[in-house]
Amino acid sequence: NPGTVAYAMVSKFQPQSLPKALLPESRKTRPASDPRLDAEERVFALAVGEESRAWPLKSFGERPDVRNATIGGKKALILWDGRTRTAAAFAPETEGDKAEPVTLAVDASDLESPYVDKETGSRWSVAGRAVSGPRKGQALRWLPGVMVKWYAWAASYPKTSLEGEDGSKRATR
């Protein structure tokens, strides 16, 4: 595609610093806040079928974590990397036609790949890819989770359940 431009700054548009506080104009565009969390709190959220769930990021802490969940009748693994404050969701199985079950536990002796599967001892990264062991190169089946502010998620998924810091389900709205 000759002449294609991926990015060009048009002179009439100039970079702007991000506001230091929430602007009133922004707040006016939002629906009523779900009071279960502060509107600005960041969460990791996942919707499967008719069910949705959110985990406050502050509930994960600084160390790697793996949480098991059942959402919409499907099992899910929520992986957390405390160093990068990154969460991702996967089905507890490998991708592909020959999906194999994967049971992960945390072994923080290698922070680049702190998740170890009980089936083969392979090590996995937060990206859901085996980086060593018999399953090296295999990947977990990704689930469409997102890290977002609570007000944005709750506006789209008002019946979302919340997970407590201990992993137990909080009441739904």
Side-chain angles (χ1 to χ4, degrees), residues 75-77 89-94 102 140-143:
K75 291 184 178 185
L77 298 172
F90 301 94
E93 61 188 31
T94 56
V102 177
L140 298 172
R141 189 167 53 79
W142 178 78
L143 296 174

Side-chain angles (χ1 to χ4, degrees), residues 29-173:
T29 66
R30 297 180 183 180
S33 181
D34 180 326
R36 294 179 291 160
L37 292 175
D38 180 87
E40 296 295 313
E41 185 160 346
R42 294 183 49 80
V43 298
F44 178 75
L46 177 63
V48 178
E50 297 296 315
E51 190 176 345
S52 58
R53 189 159 311 145
W55 292 259
L57 294 187
K58 67 182 180 185
S59 75
F60 286 100
E62 300 300 318
R63 302 187 51 78
D65 195 3
V66 60
R67 297 192 185 172
N68 295 288
T70 301
I71 304 171
K74 307 282 185 188
K75 291 184 178 185
L77 298 172
I78 311 302
L79 303 184
W80 171 255
D81 183 337
R83 297 170 310 134
T84 60
R85 300 199 47 78
T86 303
F90 301 94
E93 61 188 31
T94 56
E95 283 185 329
D97 296 336
K98 298 178 182 178
E100 298 174 343
V102 177
T103 309
L104 294 181
V106 174
D107 173 4
S109 64
D110 178 355
L111 293 177
E112 296 296 319
S113 51
Y115 316 102
V116 177
D117 75 51
K118 293 181 180 180
E119 293 80 10
T120 70
S122 297
R123 295 192 77 90
W124 299 76
S125 71
V126 73
R129 184 160 306 277
V131 296
S132 66
R135 288 182 165 163
K136 182 177 180 177
Q138 292 183 4
L140 298 172
R141 189 167 53 79
W142 178 78
L143 296 174
V146 63
M147 291 173 46
V148 65
K149 289 185 178 180
W150 173 241
Y151 79 86
W153 183 262
S156 295
Y157 297 93
K159 294 183 179 178
T160 292
S161 62
L162 287 170
E163 292 287 328
E165 290 194 14
D166 62 353
S168 61
K169 193 190 294 191
R170 289 192 200 173
T172 58
R173 180 166 127 180

